[in-house]
Amino acid sequence: MTTSPTIQDRVDAALPPSGDPLGLIGADGHQRETALLHLPPDQVLRELHRRMVIGRRLDTQATALTRQGRLAVYPSSRGQEACQVGAVLALREQDWLFPTYRDTIAVLTRAVPPAEALSLLRGEWHCGYDPHQYRVAPQCTPLATSTLHAVGLARAAQLKHTGEVALVLAGDGATSEGDMHEALNFAGVWQAPVVFLVQNNGYAISVPLAKQTAAPALAYRGVGVGVRSLLIDGNDAAAVFAAVRDAVGHAAAGRGPTLIEALTYRVEAHTNADDAARYRSDEEVRAWLARDPIRRLETYLRDRGLLDDAGLAAIGAQAEQLAAEVREAMAGPPDQDPAELFAHVYAEPTAALAAQRDFLLAEIAAEGDTP
Amino acid sequence: MTGTLEEVPAQAGPTQIDTERTVVHAPGIRSALGVRSAQDEPVTMVGALNAALADALAADPRVLVFGEDVGTLGGVFRVTDGLAARFGEDRVFDTPLAEAGIVGTAIGMAMNGLVPVVEMQFDAFAYPAFEQITSHLAKLRNRTRGQLSLPVVVRIPYGGGIGGVEHHSDASEAYYVHTPGLRVVTPGSPADAYHLLRQSIECADPVIFLEPKLRYWSKEPVPAEPGPAIDRAVIRRPGRDVTLIAYGALVGTAVAAAAAAADEGWDVEVVDLRSLSPFDDATVAGSVRRTGRALVVHEAAGFAGYGAEVAARLTEQCFHYLEAPILRVTGFDIPYPPPLLERQHLPGVDRILDAIARLQWQDLA
Amino acid sequence: MPDFLLPDLGEGLTDAELVAWHVRVGDHVAVDQVIAEVETAKAAVEVPIPFAGTVTAVHAEPGTTLPVGSPLITVTADLPAAARSAPAAVQPAQPSGNVLIGYGTRPVPRRARARRPSPVPAAGRPAVPSPARVPVISPIVRKLARDAGVDLTRIAGTGPDGLVRRADVDQAIAALSSEPAAPPLTVGPPISVPAPAHPQAAVARRIPIRGIRRATAEKLTRSRREIPEATVWVDADATGLLAARAALNAQAPERPVSVLALLARFAVAGLRRWPELNAHIQDDEIVIPAHVHLGFAAQTERGLVVPVIRDAHLMSVRDLTAALEQRTDAARAGRLAPAELTGGTFTVNNYGVFGVDGSAAIINHPEVAILGMGRIIDRPWVVDGQLAVRKVSELTLAFDHRACDGGTAGGYLRYVADCVESPLLALGDL
């Protein structure tokens, strides 16, 4: 005879296992013991490392492009590669990724071509890729609004029995938005197959976590609405991969949503036009650089004989090659036809819109008449 | 909670049918109760909306209906009465009290191939969802260069005249029509309510469907043939002397005003816009060119209200045919008044007739 | 040889101080290699170069301040695919530079296209510049005034505060056309200018040539300018004509015939024999239509109009009488459609109603001839060798000498005169 779960039962089910973040590979590159996460296989670890190296190189390249006037803005995720890569590699092909504007590396890791992925930041189109083709939702500036979209998409998958899981990324600042709370609540009520990954990098532009919330940890935002939660070391790619993989499996099995808080750090400023020195100290940055996600995994792989200099060099070459592709993609003229501004307001342009389009095209043609 | 999207057969209905609450349905439209009724029997607007939802749910397994209190209760105005029982809770269901959540998850469901028809319980309660509606619902097709299609309908009971306390009588159409990418439609009658809602659900664009709650209990037969297209205005009463443009709850008022105007010697043509955005320039400008005089009536505040757009458009398109300036008869530029004063605020037949009188008739030879 | 210009480094920078070079002339640089350190108002920033190549020149000494957009370093680029030119987005001093969320402001370009001043249509300007804009009751009435050539400043509006109403414009239009004007197809008296009330304080009155008057004037001028016309005339004994008319009308008074209709019938009949007079000249050709669309001059309050009776060659005298009457009434009421005022191939003109005999009429361009009839009055005439008093009228034919010669014109006029003199004998050709 089973009794219905008590409140305490439900709290225990949703709470993160402990106040310490879970991890598999420490900052020193040594493996940590934990029963709650499973170390990924060697081939996955190597792939995590390779993709992080590439991701960092592309991040640096994008920052450089803003300094050369080729991108309008680039919110860097340098230092957050473990989340960017670890979470995406944990997805299956049928799953959906809902990225924020800082998750370009995740979008690129999901194999969206650079020209398409960077179209938004270039100022070319609001979204340069077909979401259905890559199962990646468009990036945009509003925060936390995508959490609701992810829950809705997951709910539809549930109703249609098609099995895909939605992974939605959010930052620490986004967790203050009402939409985030509503999304967690809906996900809980529906037991929707959605995974929330909160990359807590300590700052929302310049506002530190202490001013953002009094929550004991962002992972505790789940227990209040009955959503199972985890707190992990966000600079540990193996832990990120394992936690997301586990959560995806949980959701795919119909056992509901998961909220994962991953502790990490935003090494660069908010964007290329931000001055981070105004709100944080060099020591803090240096302390986090010592916990770099790539270096620790490299150390681990070398210690285990899974990576050597030649391998590293090869990865570096690949990264350079991809960086060159990105530069190439951004070097040409933008692919824009002003007439298209009117083409997708509705499924079919109205007569009034067509008239406005013709008006603009005439204006443009008149400009061309001047010597 | 698993569920299936196959149509629930009509027999699998509730075991108890509340015969006290008569929701009567016209031929060719099936009610949530699966009852066909005699031809020409008048239907309330609530009944027409109910039938439209039921028929849409039956016709397309991708259609969902959700919101606050729409499932078990059948909606605070009974518009969704009986639907959950007939189609099951995977298709018609209650949500948490979170309007942004309702619209945001609807967007996600539409991204994944479903056709959500959501309800905002009252016009003013849609404001928490305003960001989702204007930043995302209206823009995701455009944002993705046409790759994402969001066939979502947001039903909103709107407008005053029912003696509601504050926040229950807003008319916020101006905010939505000013947002490119949204369709905004509003029926003035039960027949239009049925067909416009069906068309809105079938439309590939997101639709803000404004339901004039003042007219929820008006009755008329609903013909089986679909009415005009979703983007067309309709001339409800032809006339020679002046074009009276109205929508939603005030269509009925406009028709009454036209009848009264006949006694004073004016032959008034009443145009029911139906679609606030996009706007049917051809029909409306065509009418004004014929009559030379135009009046727009709406209950929302006049300043920067919908009537301003109509007046500007018609002035541009019909300038040389005009015998008088285009006048607007609207609510005052005040927050909606308390119930005991709302009659003073809402445009009625008298205010419309007074406005007609100001259309420079003395200039006729 | 691309120059790398000092880019804006964010936050509204206008210049930066070069702190140190990280490369020298002759060094090879790689893409994104840091080539210099500059100091902004905030901090020292490392500047990566967007293309690879060999440094050929550096453009500043450490310690100097450079404006954003000025050349920093010149490099011979290695790779054609690399970014050669300075990025288009690098801005000179004034714009904001990169902002948190985008490229920032850009300098406003000079006007992109030359504006051709749109010609103000001459008809739109009042002849006398008006000091202020006249309030008119509605756009439709304003347009009415403009189309009729009415000067709004000369109207005393009867609406509140002098608002010009439709009735005021209608009155002004009527006043325009009722001013005495010479029948344009005759050599008549010039436009009369009313004498001033006090001759000592003589003030000229000015009548603008607008609207219908203007249109007619232009047509007449063109006719005289283009057409080398000649005129033939003949007096004809119309006694028989009048008798015939009286007989016809006695027989069927409800279906009367008019003198003008009889003349028109003879004119049309004559055109069958002399079709060149029904023609018009088009480029180098004389085009002779198969039909006769007969115009006739009608005097109305609005001025001279020439209604056209289409296919007059198919009409009887009674038909023509009715048509003439109907169109005359319509013309006087202003109800003729534009289609009824154009397309004529030949014109007849009864100027006898003005009490004169002859006229060197102006041809109704682009027609080639116009037939006129003067007053019918008692004149001495020789009948069978005896002097008698007969009803005599002068017929005139003005014709375009390019379309035909005197023989044709004379022959035609003689024929018409014969018909007038002997309607019975004219039967042979009708």
Side-chain angles (χ1 to χ4, degrees):
Chain A
M1 175 167 8
T2 47
T3 51
S4 42
T6 64
I7 289 179
Q8 191 59 52
D9 292 334
R10 295 171 65 189
V11 167
D12 293 340
L15 264 182
S18 93
D20 294 321
L22 299 177
L24 287 166
I25 295 172
D28 53 9
H30 295 149
Q31 185 171 347
R32 297 167 56 187
E33 290 305 317
T34 171
L36 294 163
L37 293 176
H38 308 286
L39 190 70
D42 291 347
Q43 148 212 358
V44 170
L45 293 170
R46 290 217 297 268
E47 186 64 359
L48 285 168
H49 170 262
R50 183 181 78 89
R51 300 280 205 125
M52 286 199 290
V53 170
I54 290 169
R56 179 163 295 173
R57 179 66 188 90
L58 296 184
D59 183 276
T60 308
Q61 181 62 66
T63 298
L65 286 169
T66 62
R67 299 215 185 106
Q68 294 152 4
R70 294 200 176 275
L71 286 180
V73 63
Y74 179 66
S76 165
S77 55
R78 184 184 183 90
Q80 298 177 218
E81 293 83 359
C83 288
Q84 297 289 298
V85 168
V88 170
L89 290 187
L91 292 178
R92 305 160 303 167
E93 177 151 347
Q94 68 268 45
D95 297 326
W96 274 76
L97 173 69
F98 284 77
T100 70
Y101 57 71
R102 191 175 299 287
D103 300 315
T104 302
I105 300 307
V107 173
L108 291 168
T109 305
R110 190 87 169 138
V112 176
E116 295 180 32
L118 293 172
S119 183
L120 161 65
L121 299 177
R122 192 180 185 192
E124 184 185 51
W125 295 109
H126 296 317
C127 176
Y129 51 87
D130 176 0
H132 284 292
Q133 185 179 354
Y134 303 101
R135 303 204 155 215
V136 177
Q139 294 172 289
C140 62
T141 299
L143 292 173
T145 51
S146 57
T147 58
L148 286 169
H149 308 161
V151 172
L153 184 136
R155 177 67 176 154
Q158 224 176 352
L159 294 171
K160 296 194 299 178
H161 301 287
T162 42
E164 64 269 26
V165 172
L167 169 68
V168 56
L169 307 180
D172 39 293
T175 65
S176 293
E177 284 279 5
D179 279 13
M180 177 100 189
H181 166 70
E182 293 188 29
L184 285 166
N185 191 42
F186 271 73
V189 166
W190 286 338
Q191 288 294 287
V194 56
V195 179
F196 300 83
L197 177 62
V198 173
Q199 294 172 80
N200 179 357
N201 62 21
Y203 290 90
I205 306 186
S206 67
V207 178
L209 189 68
K211 290 189 185 166
Q212 195 63 249
T213 180
L218 300 176
Y220 291 89
R221 287 192 180 279
V223 61
V225 288
V227 171
R228 158 185 185 262
S229 311
L230 274 179
L231 175 62
I232 66 173
D233 179 351
N235 275 14
D236 177 353
V240 173
F241 178 92
V244 174
R245 209 355 102 90
D246 176 74
V248 169
H250 191 85
R255 296 209 292 274
T258 305
L259 167 65
I260 302 170
E261 177 187 359
L263 300 178
T264 180
Y265 196 75
R266 191 196 75 206
V267 169
E268 293 277 356
H270 171 66
T271 70
N272 48 289
D274 178 37
D275 176 16
R278 286 174 163 249
Y279 52 83
R280 61 189 195 184
S281 67
D282 287 345
E283 297 115 74
E284 183 185 280
V285 178
R286 275 198 299 273
W288 274 94
L289 287 175
R291 302 160 67 177
D292 182 76
I294 297 179
R295 204 179 53 235
R296 69 164 81 177
L297 188 52
E298 183 188 319
T299 303
Y300 174 85
L301 290 171
R302 279 183 181 279
D303 286 352
R304 291 223 20 229
L306 294 170
L307 181 64
D308 58 18
D309 286 345
L312 205 53
I315 293 170
Q318 282 174 15
E320 282 310 313
Q321 169 62 31
L322 289 168
E325 282 176 25
V326 170
R327 287 195 301 275
E328 190 66 38
M330 295 297 106
D335 170 26
Q336 282 178 317
D337 177 5
E340 196 179 321
L341 290 173
F342 306 87
H344 305 300
V345 178
Y346 296 109
E348 295 296 331
T350 59
L353 274 173
Q356 292 193 354
R357 174 200 63 214
D358 294 342
F359 179 90
L360 175 61
L361 293 179
E363 266 189 354
I364 292 170
E367 279 169 21
D369 285 347
T370 330
Chain B
M1 223 183 322
T2 59
T4 168
L5 292 178
E6 286 106 46
E7 179 183 346
V8 177
Q11 299 91 289
T15 51
Q16 274 183 308
I17 296 176
D18 184 352
T19 54
E20 293 307 305
R21 198 186 315 121
T22 47
V23 182
V24 185
H25 308 284
I29 62 174
R30 296 156 61 91
S31 74
L33 306 176
V35 172
R36 286 182 183 275
S37 62
Q39 288 234 352
D40 297 333
E41 214 166 333
V43 182
T44 61
M45 184 181 283
V46 168
L49 294 167
N50 183 272
L53 291 170
D55 290 347
L57 284 159
D60 184 350
R62 302 169 304 162
V63 173
L64 304 181
V65 170
F66 57 96
E68 296 155 19
D69 303 296
V70 304
T72 309
L73 180 64
V76 294
F77 292 106
R78 305 293 182 267
V79 174
T80 53
D81 194 32
L83 299 180
R86 177 170 166 199
F87 293 97
E89 287 196 336
D90 281 343
R91 299 198 60 203
V92 179
F93 51 91
D94 293 321
T95 63
L97 211 167
E99 285 77 12
I102 291 168
V103 176
T105 54
I107 290 171
M109 292 182 199
M111 285 172 69
N112 207 356
L114 300 183
V115 179
V117 181
V118 304
E119 179 180 296
M120 300 284 101
Q121 199 162 81
F122 284 87
D123 181 289
F125 305 169
Y127 298 144
F130 194 74
E131 177 180 25
Q132 288 287 347
I133 292 172
T134 51
S135 283
H136 300 299
L137 185 64
K139 294 181 166 70
L140 270 162
R141 171 183 292 279
N142 183 264
R143 182 173 304 152
T144 59
R145 303 173 74 185
Q147 304 293 348
L148 283 185
S149 179
L150 299 182
V152 174
V153 177
V154 181
R155 292 181 38 245
I156 308 182
Y158 86 118
I162 59 161
V165 291
E166 195 183 5
H167 299 114
H168 293 80
S169 308
D170 278 26
S172 55
E173 68 272 16
Y175 306 137
Y176 300 118
V177 300
H178 189 60
T179 305
L182 294 176
R183 285 187 184 265
V184 182
V185 303
T186 178
S189 68
D192 249 7
Y194 177 86
H195 289 293
L196 260 183
L197 185 53
R198 293 290 317 262
Q199 288 165 337
S200 298
I201 294 171
E202 284 156 23
C203 182
D205 298 315
V207 179
I208 306 298
F209 189 86
L210 298 171
E211 300 176 352
K213 59 173 103 60
L214 175 65
R215 301 297 180 202
Y216 266 166
W217 304 277
S218 64
K219 269 186 166 188
E220 72 174 0
V222 175
E225 318 86 56
I230 193 175
D231 57 357
R232 294 264 81 100
V234 166
I235 297 175
R236 291 291 173 209
R237 181 193 188 281
R240 272 190 335 266
D241 297 332
V242 57
T243 301
L244 175 55
I245 299 160
Y247 53 91
L250 293 182
V251 174
T253 310
V255 170
D263 294 339
E264 303 195 25
W266 297 309
D267 187 20
V268 176
E269 178 154 295
V270 177
V271 176
D272 175 0
L273 288 180
R274 298 168 77 248
S275 174
L276 302 184
S277 175
F279 184 83
D280 184 354
D281 288 293
T283 300
V284 187
S287 169
V288 176
R289 287 193 199 111
R290 283 196 307 277
T291 62
R293 289 176 166 80
L295 200 55
V296 190
V297 56
H298 61 67
E299 59 185 271
F303 188 86
Y306 187 76
E309 170 66 29
V310 176
R313 276 182 115 72
L314 291 175
T315 301
E316 282 176 30
Q317 295 174 27
C318 308
F319 187 72
H320 295 120
Y321 298 83
L322 292 177
E323 302 280 356
I326 297 176
L327 297 182
R328 298 167 290 158
V329 179
T330 68
F332 300 111
D333 296 328
I334 59 175
Y336 199 87
L340 294 179
L341 280 175
E342 75 176 339
R343 203 184 62 78
Q344 272 71 27
H345 174 72
L346 294 170
V349 168
D350 286 321
R351 196 179 291 161
I352 293 175
L353 290 175
D354 289 343
I356 292 176
R358 296 200 303 274
L359 289 171
Q360 301 194 154
W361 302 97
Q362 74 278 14
D363 199 44
L364 278 180
Chain C
M1 217 57 105
D3 284 346
F4 176 44
L5 308 183
L6 179 66
D8 73 78
L9 297 161
E11 304 167 63
L13 273 189
T14 57
D15 55 42
E17 181 188 322
L18 177 70
V19 172
W21 286 108
H22 289 217
V23 297
R24 285 190 303 254
V25 173
D27 284 353
H28 187 268
V29 292
V31 170
D32 290 348
Q33 177 174 344
V34 170
I35 46 100
E37 190 178 322
V38 302
E39 176 108 10
T40 69
K42 305 287 167 59
V45 178
E46 291 176 339
V47 181
I49 188 166
F51 39 82
T54 306
V55 179
T56 57
V58 296
H59 296 289
E61 289 300 308
T64 54
T65 298
L66 287 171
V68 168
S70 59
L72 189 58
I73 188 173
T74 305
V75 166
T76 56
D78 288 345
L79 308 161
R84 285 189 170 281
S85 53
V90 172
Q91 300 298 331
Q94 302 95 306
S96 70
N98 271 79
V99 293
L100 197 67
I101 45 75
Y103 288 114
T105 61
R106 281 150 198 262
V108 177
R110 285 184 307 111
R111 176 176 289 288
R113 59 190 140 117
R115 303 199 67 87
R116 285 174 230 90
S118 48
V120 178
R125 283 235 175 89
V128 178
S130 23
R133 202 158 157 61
V134 177
V136 176
I137 194 165
S138 73
I140 203 171
V141 170
R142 192 182 288 275
K143 183 173 195 289
L144 204 61
R146 190 175 58 246
D147 287 349
V150 166
D151 182 356
L152 289 170
T153 61
R154 301 192 168 280
I155 296 182
T158 60
D161 292 328
L163 183 68
V164 172
R165 298 167 52 235
R166 179 193 289 266
D168 303 326
V169 171
D170 281 345
Q171 211 169 65
I173 291 175
L176 254 192
S177 49
S178 70
E179 278 163 12
L185 300 184
T186 62
V187 177
I191 295 169
S192 68
V193 178
H198 299 283
Q200 293 88 347
V203 174
R205 195 164 152 246
R206 306 176 82 89
I207 301 165
I209 302 177
R210 291 280 167 263
I212 294 171
R213 183 194 299 283
R214 183 197 189 86
T216 310
E218 282 172 359
K219 196 157 194 198
L220 297 169
T221 307
R222 184 177 186 187
S223 177
R224 274 282 147 89
R225 183 175 63 240
E226 288 184 10
I227 300 180
E229 100 252 338
T231 310
V232 291
W233 55 92
V234 66
D235 291 337
D237 178 359
T239 312
L241 185 72
L242 294 177
R245 183 183 75 147
L248 284 165
N249 289 344
Q251 186 240 359
E254 76 285 1
R255 291 163 57 212
V257 305
S258 66
V259 170
L260 183 58
L262 286 162
L263 178 70
R265 189 69 191 86
F266 300 149
V268 170
L271 290 174
R272 196 182 320 126
R273 289 174 62 176
W274 290 275
E276 318 85 285
L277 292 168
N278 190 45
H280 61 272
I281 295 185
Q282 192 172 340
D283 299 326
D284 291 334
E285 294 180 316
I286 299 168
V287 180
I288 302 175
H291 50 255
V292 179
H293 296 331
L294 187 68
F296 65 97
Q299 192 63 34
T300 72
E301 280 177 358
R302 296 170 195 274
L304 172 77
V305 295
V306 184
V308 173
I309 300 171
R310 300 181 79 79
D311 294 318
H313 61 293
L314 301 174
M315 297 170 82
S316 69
V317 179
R318 289 201 165 95
D319 292 341
L320 286 168
T321 305
L324 286 164
E325 193 174 283
Q326 183 264 329
R327 277 173 185 58
T328 305
D329 288 345
R332 292 210 172 108
R335 280 188 282 105
L336 283 175
E340 294 168 287
L341 290 166
T342 56
T345 59
F346 188 86
T347 303
V348 294
N349 181 21
N350 179 12
Y351 49 83
V353 299
F354 298 117
V356 297
D357 300 318
S359 166
I362 302 177
I363 296 169
N364 190 15
H365 187 287
E367 297 166 19
V368 298
I370 179 167
L371 174 70
M373 177 184 235
R375 57 184 178 160
I376 307 175
I377 54 167
D378 289 337
R379 280 202 195 278
W381 197 256
V382 176
V383 180
D384 294 338
Q386 302 289 323
L387 266 182
V389 175
R390 306 285 280 183
K391 300 287 185 190
V392 177
S393 176
E394 182 177 317
L395 304 171
T396 60
L397 179 75
F399 63 98
D400 184 338
H401 221 311
R402 302 171 294 176
C404 67
D405 56 17
T408 304
Y412 176 83
L413 191 64
R414 182 67 251 157
Y415 167 80
V416 173
D418 285 343
C419 292
V420 167
E421 291 189 336
S422 286
L424 189 61
L425 294 181
L427 260 181
D429 286 322
L430 289 173

